[in-house]
Amino acid sequence: MTKDENQVASETEVRATLKAAQETSKAIAADIAAGNVGKYRILTGDRPTGFLHIGHYFGTLKTRVDLQNLGIDTTVLIADYQVITDRDNLGNVREYVLNLVADYLAAGIDPEKSTIFCHSQIPAIHEMLVIFLSLVTEAELHRNPTVKAELEAAARPMSGLLLTYPVHQAADILCAKANLVPVGQDQLPHLEQARVLAKRFNKRYPQRDPQTGKKTGHGVLPLPQGLLGQGAMILGTDGQKMSKSRHNTVELRASEDDTAKVLKKAVTDSDRQITFDPVQRPEVSNLLLIASLCTGQAPEDIAAEIGAGGGGALKALVTEALNEHLRPLRQRRAELMRDEGYLWSVLARGNEKVRDEANDVLREMKVAMGMNYGV
Ligand code: TRP
């Protein structure tokens, strides 16, 4: 093996992992559609680095709400310690956390059904990290392609936390004994890392009866699966990846006027005849897709309706569709933001619940390790 191969997962490996994950996801989605929801425990999360935008909403947030409403036990993590993996500064982390809670609730995450928590408030997660770090090698950590891409984007030296955050993330997932993690492709290496860690822990430290100390033959930790491709992938208003740093997003909290302003500047092309052709006309097709997600109408039909109306008519239509679709969410959001105390209390309740669960899991892990000293 060359030094290079040892450092990054090869293309072939990445492709094989993706194909396997797509197949598993399809099978799980079919299982859920058939009503088998009781066996799944979902954990998903976001880093509080900014305000949520329509890319998050159509890509992940709506799916979380749907899965919750199907009756799946859902936990949503605000990964605040992950913010400092690739930057020196937490920014307005408190404001971002508060706004994330507001976005979640406004979009339909129901605190009576789902749990929202912040990992900085759960000491057991960080203690699990210590155990998990003993189960990986440095070479394995360097092979994670997502970490490598983030290192390049950060343009600063690798921090210890950036190198090890996939292990930290495994603790996020496993502290809640979650077995299903809705993810985008970039998170697949992290999920594989979590599975490897759970397997290694279970093998090295088989579960024991806390009273007798005898092995029970089960593993303490579940092997989590990724659930890919449930949401829609939309692009930014410039046709590139939607991201705050590119200024091509529409934030959920934006006013209707600001939404109109952003969409007015959206990139289109010079062909006045509007058609849905994601390969040849990605920008125009992306706007049609957004309108379609809002109205439920097929993008081809929307294109036919606009006909030769050009980019201006398309933008006016998308603006109206998006503002109308988001109006109830934005109204709820504004109301929620008027009662910060309530939002913090939802988070505090979630933190408390996960703290108890995580303590139980950590205790079980310590029993398996023979580190229960009886006090
Ligand atoms: N890394 C994820 C992201 O950047 C956020 C995250 C942290 C997460 N811990 C997690 C996602 C656990 C799923 C499960 O989006």
Side-chain angles (χ1 to χ4, degrees), residues 43-47 77 79 82 165 169 172-173 181 183 187 190:
L43 188 124
T44 67
D46 299 290
R47 299 180 193 205
L77 155 72
Q82 238 182 56
Y165 93 81
Q169 185 158 326
D172 293 337
I173 297 166
V181 186
V183 285
Q187 298 290 303
H190 303 350

Side-chain angles (χ1 to χ4, degrees), residues 294-349:
C294 294
T295 60
Q297 238 183 315
E300 293 85 353
D301 294 347
I302 301 173
E305 237 169 65
I306 301 170
L314 171 62
K315 289 178 193 178
L317 186 145
V318 180
T319 302
E320 197 184 322
L322 187 60
N323 277 337
E324 190 174 323
H325 182 75
L326 293 179
R327 198 166 296 136
L329 182 155
R330 284 170 165 166
Q331 269 163 9
R332 276 194 299 275
R333 194 185 191 291
E335 268 164 45
L336 286 160
M337 284 303 288
R338 278 196 283 276
D339 190 356
E340 291 190 8
Y342 170 70
L343 294 173
W344 289 121
S345 79
V346 167
L347 187 61
R349 232 181 335 133

